[in-house]
Amino acid sequence: MRINLSFLQTYPHESRFGLSPDNIMSHYHDYIKANGQVSVTTLHFFNEKGLNTGNEYWNVLEEVIRFYCRFKRINPQLTTLDIGGGMPFRSSLNDNIDLSLLVRQLISTIQNICLEEGVQEPDIITEFGKYTVAEATATIFKINEKKQGDRLDWAIIDGSFITHLPDTWAIHQEYPVFPINNLKQNYKPYVLGGLTCDSADYYPNTIDRGYVMLPDTDNEQYITFLHTGAYQEALSGFGGINHCLIPSPKHIIIDRDDHEDLQYTVFSEKQTSHHLLKILGYQK
């Protein structure tokens, strides 16, 4: 049986996750300790801020580990600590987080507190899903320049951020963005816009707005968003009716064969208007 524990320092009673330490203890004593059919082997810790280098995460983690030690003293079956997710991925070229140092700090923090408490350190489970898969995918758009005002020009993608990269507007996620061709041209700032009339369909979709530096050219231009492998496809809905009927793009899998040569496989062709009409029920 797994018990979920959520620590929120600022608002400790307003999280929808898990149980408080006191509730965990009372549940254990009232319903589990004398029950021969279940036992508690895993303590799950969830932090809404994610894993980071700030003091808040490490202060909360210390509270969790000390509670783990306290709980294990009365429940020897406890062997595992699930520290949840939150490992950052590289969302910008300016990210200089030393992930190996972060992991070493995580492990040493757990070991040192358990040694101090005289408790065997736990097996550790992580849920670093975004970190694991983000860098496995890139998203490519063709863009067309649209002059709109005097300050910045727009570059309109052949898609929609709300459909194809929903985290850009939902949580204001940033990604590394690069031009694919015309690399020797002069560069200038652009704001990227989607095809829909939705006011949130643009990038960068952040408080300070910002811009993307791209080649200043009249030639056909393609750009790529890197590290888009986490959640975007699952949220946008492959093959379905996407925001404002924007079709799903062509999906290509790039892999290496036994000779280390690149192999390209078409997973799915671009969604067509016929597919959309069929899903809506207008065509058989």
Side-chain angles (χ1 to χ4, degrees), residues 114-150:
C114 287
L115 180 63
E116 180 184 327
E117 295 278 350
V119 170
Q120 176 66 40
E121 65 267 17
D123 297 326
I124 301 173
I125 296 175
T126 65
E127 301 174 20
F128 298 154
K130 181 178 287 190
Y131 165 76
T132 302
V133 302
E135 296 184 14
T137 301
T139 303
I140 298 173
F141 296 107
K142 181 181 177 181
I143 62 172
N144 289 291
E145 183 180 25
K146 181 180 182 181
K147 295 185 181 297
Q148 193 87 346
D150 299 326

Side-chain angles (χ1 to χ4, degrees), residues 50-77:
L51 180 60
N52 58 60
T53 56
N55 289 332
E56 181 180 352
Y57 176 85
W58 301 104
N59 292 338
V60 174
L61 180 64
E62 180 177 350
E63 291 183 48
V64 172
I65 300 168
R66 293 198 183 279
F67 176 77
Y68 174 91
C69 295
R70 172 188 165 200
F71 193 14
K72 186 172 176 63
R73 290 192 185 98
I74 66 170
N75 174 37
Q77 292 89 350

